[in-house]
């Protein structure tokens, strides 16, 4: 690879790392071209899977301010995730279950280094949409509880005032 090609490759990888909110480093030794195509499709539109050179990726990661050095050994490919990192992590995990040749080495999420185990835990999370809908449901439930409490207060006050009037009327009539 000529020097200008290497410089361009480093710039491209640096830009992908900066534009991505997550990157997952994998080893792909033993996967066929057809399997790599299938993996790329399974990651969806919000992730781009690319085979990279370790030395160029180390330089790009350092320029982007990301620590990936420990994961850049052997054959390396990186999934650059611009969308939901949970969805991409699930795609990689599920593909790795069916194709043991794919090994998740580690990665980075919003600038924080992640181990392979942390990426697997990320894959076990529910998607962003599911978590947001659960949060919205919980908030709606709390709002309805608060509304019923606020509705109960005036009616309870009215019943208490009526009871006091009735008691005063009884005492006034008894004297």
């Amino acid at each position: 690879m000529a020097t200008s090609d290497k410089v361009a490759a480093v710039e491209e990888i640096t830009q992908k790392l900066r534009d991505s909110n997550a990157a997952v480093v994998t080893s792909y030794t033993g996967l066929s071209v057809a399997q790599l195509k299938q993996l790329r499709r399974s990651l969806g539109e919000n992730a781009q899977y690319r085979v990279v050179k370790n030395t160029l990726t180390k330089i790009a990661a350092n320029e982007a301010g990301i620590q990936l050095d420990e994961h850049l050994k052997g054959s390396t490919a990186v999934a650059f995730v611009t969308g939901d990192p949970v969805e991409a992590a699930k795609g990689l995990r599920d593909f790795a279950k069916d194709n043991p040749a794919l090994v998740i080495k580690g990665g980075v999420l919003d600038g924080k280094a992640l181990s392979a185990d942390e990426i697997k835990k990320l894959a076990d999370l529910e998607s962003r949409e599911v978590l947001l809908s659960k949060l919205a449901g919980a908030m709606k439930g709390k709002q309805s509880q608060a509304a019923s409490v606020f509705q109960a207060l005036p009616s309870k006050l009215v019943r208490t005032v009526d009871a006091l009037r009735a008691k005063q009327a009884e005492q006034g009539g008894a004297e």
Side-chain angles (χ1 to χ4, degrees), residues 30-125:
L31 291 177
S32 68
V33 173
Q35 289 172 318
L36 287 174
K37 272 187 174 178
Q38 181 185 359
L39 172 59
R40 285 182 175 105
R41 271 188 255 122
S42 72
L43 289 176
E45 296 176 12
N46 296 325
Q48 189 177 37
Y49 191 74
R50 188 162 162 215
V51 175
V52 295
K53 290 194 171 282
N54 291 334
T55 53
L56 300 180
T57 306
K58 282 180 187 179
I59 295 167
N62 288 334
E63 286 182 15
I66 296 172
Q67 282 293 55
L68 289 176
D69 291 358
E70 66 187 67
H71 306 301
L72 299 174
K73 295 176 180 75
S75 62
T76 304
V78 179
F80 299 99
V81 183
T82 55
D84 185 8
V86 173
E87 183 182 327
K90 283 181 187 202
L92 287 166
R93 178 201 59 196
D94 294 344
F95 188 85
K97 282 181 185 175
D98 297 335
N99 302 284
L102 180 74
V103 178
I104 298 172
K105 296 180 181 181
V108 64
L109 174 64
D110 293 328
K112 181 187 176 284
L114 297 175
S115 68
D117 289 336
E118 289 172 322
I119 290 173
K120 289 173 184 165
K121 287 179 186 174
L122 182 66
D124 291 337
L125 288 176

Side-chain angles (χ1 to χ4, degrees), residues 134-148:
K134 283 186 175 183
L135 177 64
M139 290 176 71
K140 183 178 178 184
K142 293 296 180 191
Q143 287 176 343
S144 65
Q145 286 177 346
S148 63

